[in-house]
């Protein structure tokens, strides 16, 4: 038995408390009884944590005991009184915050899992590859496998953070961007010093501080902006000279520099450095004016069939030059078509690689090396198996292919694998049909006869349930089999559709090992991100902020004192 020291609404000691049998609701009822109020109006806090009724059960119903929620002998518990409505509201807020925390944890875990699977050349579970590209769309590898994994994870989390910023969810965006910053920090600094993703992430974090309007971030914001300024200049070159060469004379970075100037102006204003603030804000204002799209140019591009957003982006990134904007839009269209073709080709390759299986180190068969072996006359499947066994070592694969004994062993393995896969495929189909409600023995007998899935369903629906031998099923159709060209009865068609909707049990086991929902969410963000997404910023909010802070500086200058922004 334990003693609990209660303070607050009722002060005293509860004795003879069995921590293994008492629950949070029971403790709440006891405190409420001694406080002469209802249990709904009592809030309990122990060790800085609000005690909830389902704490020890993870929110899945039922009640855990006090020991499970961390209450010990001589624990001090604060009891406060709230109205039943306030109590319910408080509990809802706590539940919402815990759900948010769980979701962010899942997001981090999903990004980690995706990066681990896609950074080392392993055969992907999905039908796509996640790869790091430069601004021209070329695949790049940065440093070691650890560096590549960290960069990939950082880029995914940064993209998700930017998506949350666009949705106006700055609090969650800040959390996700912090995860991305942590991922980038795992890289060798020399690997990422010439890419601008990290300094842009710093600017995005300070933008979240600004939109949340929390003055407590002021010191941290100043440091981040200093790092961003240095990092951008290192990556883009002095006066963006290197970026200008890469982008063919275009100005994609202008909106990004506008935001950087604005944020520097805000930070220096709140630090009391009015002259520095005015200089930064004047620079931001000049860039803002430069980014204003002329109505005539916009109308002209839209008359050519381009969407308003695309036309504005093209004009802003090309210094309002209509001819350059048209060239830019044409290039972007070509890149999108090429990307779609590349995605289709890569999905086809992944399906082919999955047929060959994984190497002992879980890597995919290298299709380029496979082409080399096929080009000199070797059977494709045989060559693929040789590469798979030898971790894509072409010379060792050649040795196995030219050695009669190992060549024969490769052929035997391939035939065995085919039989095994055919058996697995049949078992999967049997499970799907059984899932529709047919008796297993009847289904197995129907598949033993052979034929397509449609033919099996026709036999099962045509045969009386009492007779389910293979011989009876064989005679279910007039000619001993069902014609695949004959129209299916309506109910059979519906059954086939339902069977196709039933997931493969093997796929389900894989799904249980992965957070498919969160991984799909991250993948969808990546698909919508292009090489210039970091520079594609609508600057309406920035324009309003520039005007606001320049007015504050004027007011502070005329009155001789500082004035805080609302």
């Amino acid at each position: 038995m334990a003693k609990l020291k209660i303070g607050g609404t009722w002060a005293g000691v509860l004795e003879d408390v069995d921590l293994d049998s008492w629950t949070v609701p029971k403790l709440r009822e006891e405190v409420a009884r001694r406080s002469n109020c209802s249990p709904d109006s009592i809030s309990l806090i122990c060790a800085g944590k609000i005690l909830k009724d389902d704490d020890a059960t993870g929110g899945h119903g039922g009640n855990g005991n006090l020991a499970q929620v961390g209450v010990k002998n001589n624990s001090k518990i604060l009891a406060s009184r709230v109205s039943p409505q306030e109590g319910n509201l408080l509990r809802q807020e706590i539940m919402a915050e815990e759900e948010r925390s769980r979701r962010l944890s899942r997001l981090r875990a999903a990004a980690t899992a995706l990066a681990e699977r896609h950074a080392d050349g392993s055969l992907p579970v999905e039908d796509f590859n996640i790869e790091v590209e430069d601004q021209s769309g070329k695949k790049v590898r940065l440093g070691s496998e650890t560096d590549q994994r960290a960069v990939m994870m950082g880029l995914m989390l940064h993209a998700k953070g930017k998506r949350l910023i666009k949705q106006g969810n700055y609090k969650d965006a800040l959390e996700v961007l912090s995860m991305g910053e942590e991922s980038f920090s795992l890289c060798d600094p020399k690997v990422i010093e010439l890419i601008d993703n990290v300094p842009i992430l710093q600017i995005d974090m300070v933008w979240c501080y600004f939109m949340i309007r929390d003055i407590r971030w002021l010191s941290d914001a100043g440091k981040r902006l200093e790092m961003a300024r240095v990092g951008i200049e290192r990556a883009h070159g002095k006066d963006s000279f290197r970026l200008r060469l890469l982008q063919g004379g275009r100005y994609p970075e202008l909106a990004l520099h506008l935001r950087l100037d604005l944020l520097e102006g805000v930070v220096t204003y709140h630090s009391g450095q009015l002259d520095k603030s005015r200089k930064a804000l004047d620079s931001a204002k000049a860039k803002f004016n430069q980014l204003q799209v002329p109505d005539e140019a916009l109308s002209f591009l839209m008359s050519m069939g381009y969407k308003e957003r695309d036309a504005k982006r093209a004009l802003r990134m090309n210094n309002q030059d209509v001819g350059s904007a048209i060239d830019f839009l044409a290039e972007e269209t070509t890149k999108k078509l090429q990307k779609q073709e590349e995605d289709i080709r890569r999905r086809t390759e992944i399906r082919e690689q999955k047929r060959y299986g994984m190497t002992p180190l879980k890597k995919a068969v290298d299709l380029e090396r496979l082409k080399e072996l096929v080009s000199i006359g070797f059977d494709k499947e045989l060559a693929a198996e040789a590469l798979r066994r030898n971790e894509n070592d072409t010379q060792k694969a050649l040795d196995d292919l030219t050695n009669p004994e190992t060549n024969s062993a490769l052929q035997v393995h391939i035939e065995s694998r085919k039989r095994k896969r055919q058996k697995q495929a049949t078992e999967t189909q049997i499970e799907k049909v059984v899932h529709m409600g047919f008796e297993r023995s009847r289904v197995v007998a129907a598949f033993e006869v052979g034929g397509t899935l449609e033919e099996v369903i026709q036999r099962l629906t045509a045969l009386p349930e009492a007779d389910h031998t293979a011989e009876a099923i064989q005679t279910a159709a007039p000619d001993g089999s069902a014609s695949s060209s004959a129209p299916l009865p309506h109910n059979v068609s519906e059954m086939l559709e339902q069977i196709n909707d039933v997931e493969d049990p093997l796929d389900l086991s894989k799904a249980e090992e992965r957070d498919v929902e969160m991984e799909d969410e991250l993948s969808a963000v990546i698909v919508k991100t292009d090489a210039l997404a970091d520079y594609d910023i609508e600057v309406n909010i920035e324009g309003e902020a520039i005007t606001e802070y320049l007015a504050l500086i004027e007011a502070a200058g005329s009155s001789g004192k500082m004035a805080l922004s609302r």
Side-chain angles (χ1 to χ4, degrees), residues 4 46 97 147 168 178 208 261 318 416 418 433 544:
L4 302 181
C46 178
E97 182 60 29
D147 293 326
S178 297
C208 289
D261 288 344
N318 289 276
S416 173
K418 283 182 180 178
V433 177
E544 294 172 3

Side-chain angles (χ1 to χ4, degrees), residues 33 36 78 81-82 118 144 151 172 185 223 238 260 264 270 275 278 283 333 342 395 397 420 487 496 552:
R33 183 179 66 80
N36 295 318
L78 175 64
R81 188 169 182 176
V82 295
H118 289 267
S144 66
V151 168
D172 283 1
S185 71
K223 293 174 185 175
K238 188 70 174 175
L260 177 57
E264 287 176 336
H270 287 293
D275 289 340
R278 184 190 298 276
S283 176
T333 302
E342 171 67 16
Q395 187 55 54
K420 182 180 178 181
L496 283 170
L552 287 169

Side-chain angles (χ1 to χ4, degrees), residues 71 117 122 216 274 292 304 310 409 465 550:
V71 178
R117 288 206 304 273
S122 297
R216 291 175 298 176
L274 294 187
Q292 297 311 296
M304 297 177 66
D310 294 337
E465 289 194 19
L550 282 173

Side-chain angles (χ1 to χ4, degrees), residues 309-460:
R309 175 172 174 75
D310 294 337
K312 281 185 175 180
R313 166 174 152 144
L315 287 165
R316 283 199 301 260
M317 291 190 178
N318 289 276
N319 206 21
Q320 314 303 342
D321 183 82
V322 175
S324 299
I326 292 172
D327 292 340
F328 174 83
L329 288 165
E331 288 175 19
E332 290 292 290
T333 302
T334 302
K335 285 179 183 177
K336 285 180 182 177
L337 292 173
Q338 290 174 343
K339 185 72 168 64
Q340 289 172 0
E341 292 173 0
E342 171 67 16
D343 288 345
I344 292 170
R345 183 190 65 79
R346 186 63 192 120
R347 280 196 292 270
T348 303
E349 287 181 348
I350 291 172
R351 283 196 293 269
E352 181 181 354
Q353 287 174 318
K354 286 183 177 180
R355 283 205 321 271
Y356 301 140
M358 294 183 290
T359 70
L361 293 178
K362 309 297 183 186
K363 301 292 190 293
V365 170
D366 189 317
L367 296 182
E368 290 302 316
R369 299 189 181 195
L370 178 58
K371 287 178 184 176
E372 292 174 11
L373 292 176
V374 172
S375 68
I376 57 177
F378 291 106
D379 175 76
K380 194 170 189 178
E381 277 197 88
L382 204 59
E385 178 59 23
L387 284 169
R388 188 196 68 79
R389 287 191 173 196
N390 291 286
E391 288 295 342
N392 290 309
D393 187 314
T394 305
Q395 187 55 54
K396 289 181 179 179
L398 269 172
D399 292 342
D400 282 352
L401 290 166
T402 53
N403 183 313
E405 289 184 10
T406 53
N407 187 297
S408 176
L410 290 172
Q411 293 183 49
V412 169
H413 179 81
I414 290 171
E415 290 303 316
S416 173
R417 186 173 61 194
K418 283 182 180 178
R419 288 194 297 271
K420 182 180 178 181
R421 286 180 176 174
Q422 189 173 9
K423 182 181 177 183
Q424 287 177 335
T426 302
E427 289 175 351
T428 298
Q429 287 191 324
I430 288 173
E431 291 301 321
K432 288 181 177 182
V433 177
V434 170
H435 183 82
M436 298 300 301
F438 291 103
E439 186 182 341
R440 179 177 294 276
S441 58
R442 296 182 64 217
V443 175
V444 171
F447 272 98
E448 285 176 355
V449 174
T452 66
L453 182 59
E454 293 178 2
E455 293 168 346
V456 168
I457 295 295
Q458 281 186 327
R459 294 186 194 115
L460 288 169

